[in-house]
């Protein structure tokens, strides 16, 4: 994955949320499945993709990748993750 480009990063981050919302609104999944999907997104998917972006930008070392899964640890890299073009 080339997460160095911020547009690709935003696409990777926002597309699963959009899919969850659309499938729930169209009645394809129920509230329980939506909440399970949201938890998977919050605790696994988003930290993984954010970690890949920080690795690609050389702002994070490979040995510290696991720290991305600690809640709110990525806030110290907020500007790099969401605002750097």
């Amino acid at each position: 994955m080339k997460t160095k480009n911020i547009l690709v990063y935003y696409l990777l981050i926002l597309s699963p949320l959009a899919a969850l919302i659309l499938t729930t609104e169209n009645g394809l999944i129920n509230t329980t499945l939506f909440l399970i999907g949201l938890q998977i997104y919050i605790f696994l998917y988003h930290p993984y993709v954010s970690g890949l972006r920080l690795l690609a930008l050389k702002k994070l070392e490979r040995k510290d990748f696991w720290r991305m899964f600690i809640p709110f640890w990525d806030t110290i890299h907020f500007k790099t993750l969401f605002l750097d073009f």
Side-chain angles (χ1 to χ4, degrees):
M1 265 188 275
K2 292 287 185 184
T3 57
K4 210 172 200 180
N5 185 341
I6 196 159
L7 295 176
V8 173
Y9 175 69
Y10 275 119
L11 181 67
L12 288 171
I13 291 298
L14 296 177
S15 58
L17 284 178
L20 274 173
I21 291 168
L22 288 174
T23 55
T24 303
E25 285 182 355
N26 291 325
L28 299 174
I29 61 172
N30 60 19
T31 307
T32 305
L33 288 176
F34 173 78
L35 290 175
I36 291 170
L38 191 60
Q39 287 177 348
I40 291 170
Y41 172 81
I42 291 170
F43 294 115
L44 295 176
Y45 182 78
H46 192 282
Y48 179 75
V49 174
S50 296
L52 289 179
R53 176 163 167 76
L54 290 173
L55 285 174
L57 294 173
K58 306 220 185 304
K59 301 287 184 177
L60 183 70
E61 293 183 27
R62 189 71 154 151
K63 66 181 176 90
D64 293 329
F65 186 79
W66 67 272
R67 292 180 189 222
M68 292 304 297
F69 296 96
I70 299 172
F72 303 109
W73 188 82
D74 63 343
T75 56
I76 60 175
H77 297 290
F78 181 84
K79 184 179 176 188
T80 304
L81 284 172
F82 296 105
L83 302 176
D84 280 353
F85 291 94

